[in-house]
């Protein structure tokens, strides 16, 4: 397992470019299965999760070429020769379940191992399956697999999501674009990545209205066509570097961002005393490193993103005062807290809440990443910790951050990767 060695950093200074959004790339690769012909996707982040998704669709018979130097993906789904997703790939990445909707719409059949849980929660897919069944799919679960099939073309209908699940919204959206008639998804997720997927589908000829609101209306079409599309920047990667600057102090510029997508994160950091100025496609973050404690409660977009909760827990361990962070989305997303306490953070977990006594002195030590954002939180803590911090199991971090060590070095951080 690889690790990062990180020395305490006085302040971050400099400019970096944010990569394309992981949580847009994954559903958009799945959606490419909805048409034949050659599709070109730009600003695809060179991440292990993206590579896994490409491996997966290759197993299904799709031709995929990732031109790494230009972050361009060329996909050709002329023939889908296999509709059974292999366990070893699905187990690695639960987003594999996003293949269900496109395979069902294109082939009328998909067999996908149940993604199973991960470090942050059980991650059920009941809302995905309820939506696909409402469109006319037959669902058979057994022996750890889910089989979805439809003898006839899917039929549009009204679907109310008990929870604005991002994945369920995306799976239903991808199945509905080729269904007969109109589908209305109510209480839909409004995340920017859902909007990005909808824009991609529209560029393929889909008829989708209302993406980004809680009601999405889809009028099914007979056929979609290949397209060329550029993915939005990764708001969570940007937020992670904003949090890093907040904890160490400094003055950085993030290029290739959509400031609007970062509103909840910027609002919280401003409340904590960080200065943030926004341009059209860039954000400047200035901090003295002296922060006020703020309370945070995660919510579906446009609330504070759960994917930034761990990073902010690290930041608040250095702020002046006591902060309360409530994680309302996932049932087990405080795995980073144990490791932060080993570094000297003063945090008490009470159910879904973390009470953080600030101004604790963080000391460098060896810590382990348990999941993607926990790894990011430990790197952030390592920047502020005295001495040297070793973050192990950084394969988790590679899933969601393109060359995070290179980008941090460009901002003045002494960080090295050891395989
Ligand atoms: C997406 O996961 C993201 N992943 C997650 O990012 C992100 O944390 C999450 O949305 C919330 O924003 C991708 O887009 C690939 P959900 P997803 O369905 O779709 C429950 C990261 O770090 N739920 O909105 O799985 C579920 O258990 C990752 O980049 C059901 O109960 O999230 C969870 O408690 C982590 N039944 C809540 O909803 C379902 O059928 C949110 O899940 C589906 C979900």
């Amino acid at each position: 397992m690889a690790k990062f060695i990180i020395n305490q950093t006085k302040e971050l200074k400099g400019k970096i470019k944010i990569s394309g959004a992981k949580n847009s790339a994954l559903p958009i690769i799945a959606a490419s299965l909805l048409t034949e012909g050659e599709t070109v996707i730009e600003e695809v982040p060179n991440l292990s999760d993206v590579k896994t998704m490409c491996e997966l669709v290759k197993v299904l018979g799709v031709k995929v070429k990732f031109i790494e130097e230009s972050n361009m993906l060329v996909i050709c789904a002329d023939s889908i020769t296999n509709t059974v997703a292999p366990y070893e790939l699905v187990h690695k990445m639960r987003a594999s379940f996003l293949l269900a909707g496109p395979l069902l719409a294109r082939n009328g059949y998909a067999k996908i191992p149940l993604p199973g849980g991960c470090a942050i929660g059980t991650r059920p897919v009941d809302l995905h399956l309820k939506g696909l069944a409402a469109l006319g799919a037959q669902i058979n679960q057994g022996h750890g697999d889910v089989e979805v099939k439809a003898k006839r073309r899917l039929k549009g209908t009204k679907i109310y999501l008990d929870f604005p699940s991002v994945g369920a919204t995306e799976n239903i959206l991808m199945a509905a674009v080729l269904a007969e008639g109109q589908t209305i998804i109510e209480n839909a997720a409004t995340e920017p990545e859902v909007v990005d997927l909808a824009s991609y589908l529209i560029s393929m000829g889909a008829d989708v209205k209302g993406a980004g609101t809680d009601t999405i209306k889809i009028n099914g079409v007979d056929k979609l066509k290949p397209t060329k599309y550029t993915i939005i920047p990764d708001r969570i990667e940007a937020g992670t570097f904003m949090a890093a600057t907040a904890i160490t102090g400094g003055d950085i510029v993030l290029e290739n961002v959509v400031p609007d997508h970062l509103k909840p994160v910027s609002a919280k950091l401003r409340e904590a005393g960080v200065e943030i100025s926004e341009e059209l496609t860039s954000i400047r973050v200035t901090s003295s490193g002296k922060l006020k404690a703020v309370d945070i409660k995660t919510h579906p977009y446009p609330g504070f993103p759960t994917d930034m909760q761990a990073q902010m827990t690290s930041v608040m361990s250095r702020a002046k005062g006591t902060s309360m962070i409530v994680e309302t989305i996932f049932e087990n997303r405080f795995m980073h807290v144990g490791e932060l306490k080993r570094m000297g953070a003063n945090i008490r977990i009470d159910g879904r809440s973390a009470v953080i006594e600030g101004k604790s002195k963080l000391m460098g030590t060896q810590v382990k990443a348990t999941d993607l954002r926990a790894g990011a939180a430990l790197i952030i803590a390592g920047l502020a910790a005295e001495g040297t911090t070793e973050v192990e199991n950084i394969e988790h971090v590679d899933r969601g951050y393109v060359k995070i060590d290179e980008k941090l070095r460009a901002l003045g951080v002494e960080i090295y990767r050891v395989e």
Side-chain angles (χ1 to χ4, degrees), residues 22-23 123-127 165-167 307 329 333 373:
K22 165 178 83 82
N23 293 346
R123 314 291 295 272
V125 289
D126 56 310
L127 300 177
S165 151
V166 171
D307 292 350
I329 307 289
R333 203 169 197 176
R373 308 301 174 185

Side-chain angles (χ1 to χ4, degrees), residues 193-353:
E193 295 77 24
V194 173
V195 179
D196 212 17
L197 171 63
S199 308
Y200 174 68
L201 292 166
I202 291 165
S203 79
M204 294 165 83
D207 177 352
V208 181
K209 291 193 179 50
T213 75
D214 62 4
T215 305
I216 304 178
K217 280 200 176 81
I218 304 115
N219 293 311
V221 294
D222 295 337
K223 212 163 160 43
L224 293 172
K225 59 188 188 327
T227 183
K228 180 168 181 176
Y229 191 77
T230 302
I231 280 175
I232 58 169
D234 194 315
R235 63 191 166 100
I236 306 300
E237 183 193 21
T240 302
F241 282 102
M242 293 166 78
T245 308
I247 200 170
T248 59
D251 184 354
I252 70 165
V253 173
L254 300 176
E255 292 181 320
N256 190 40
V257 300
V258 178
D260 204 39
H261 293 167
L262 280 153
K263 262 198 196 135
V265 176
S266 302
K268 270 302 156 191
L269 286 172
R270 283 185 174 121
E271 203 184 312
V274 176
E275 262 177 66
I276 293 166
S277 51
E278 299 162 358
E279 301 295 329
L280 212 56
T281 60
S282 66
I283 276 187
R284 181 176 177 190
V285 184
T286 314
S287 164
S288 64
K290 292 184 179 37
L291 303 170
K292 282 202 314 293
V294 294
D295 291 340
I296 290 173
K297 197 169 188 182
T298 65
H299 277 288
Y301 195 86
F304 191 89
T306 172
D307 292 350
M308 277 299 301
Q309 179 263 107
Q311 299 92 310
M312 286 305 286
T313 305
S314 294
V315 174
M316 285 300 111
S317 70
R318 292 285 303 141
K320 190 169 182 314
T322 303
S323 65
M324 161 88 89
I325 295 190
V326 184
E327 171 57 63
T328 70
I329 307 289
F330 290 107
E331 65 268 29
N332 186 31
R333 203 169 197 176
F334 285 130
M335 308 283 275
H336 47 291
V337 169
E339 294 297 86
L340 288 175
K341 288 169 79 166
R342 289 185 54 244
M343 295 175 75
N346 183 345
I347 307 174
R348 185 168 46 78
I349 300 286
D350 178 11
R352 290 209 171 192
S353 305

